[in-house]
């Protein structure tokens, strides 16, 4: 893996938000970045594909998911946790 998890997640989020990676702040929520529910689902799919993981996310009820999407940094932490669990 050449880019770090953080770099890859930032690239995916920036692409969905139609922003430059440098404009994506770690404390920003998906909503702050202008990512709607469809963009969020597309981001989750892109993350699953990029890291070859299965994200426990319920698009119909995000609050019931075990995947924290409250901020960009929480998404990065959740992805890192899923990668570690998959390796373990």
């Amino acid at each position: 893996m050449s880019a770090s998890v953080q770099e890859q997640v930032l690239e995916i989020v920036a692409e969905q938000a139609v922003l430059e990676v440098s404009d994506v702040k770690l404390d920003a929520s998906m909503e702050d970045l202008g990512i709607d529910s469809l963009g969020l689902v597309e981001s989750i799919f892109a993350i699953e594909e990029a890291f070859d993981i299965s994200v426990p996310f319920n698009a119909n009820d995000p609050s019931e998911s075990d995947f924290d999407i409250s901020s960009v940094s929480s998404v990065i932490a959740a992805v890192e946790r899923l990668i570690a669990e998959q390796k373990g």
Side-chain angles (χ1 to χ4, degrees), residues 43-62:
S43 297
I44 298 293
F45 285 147
I47 287 168
E48 287 182 325
E49 190 173 308
F51 298 103
D52 193 27
I53 57 175
S54 179
V55 174
F57 180 74
N58 181 343
N60 295 322
D61 194 356

Side-chain angles (χ1 to χ4, degrees), residues 16-28:
Q16 285 301 321
V18 193
L19 295 170
E20 294 297 320
V21 173
S22 59
D23 294 331
V24 178
K25 304 300 177 215
L26 292 175
D27 62 345

Side-chain angles (χ1 to χ4, degrees), residues 28-39:
S29 71
M30 298 300 146
E31 196 173 288
D32 291 341
L33 298 172
I35 297 176
D36 62 10
S37 57
L38 178 60

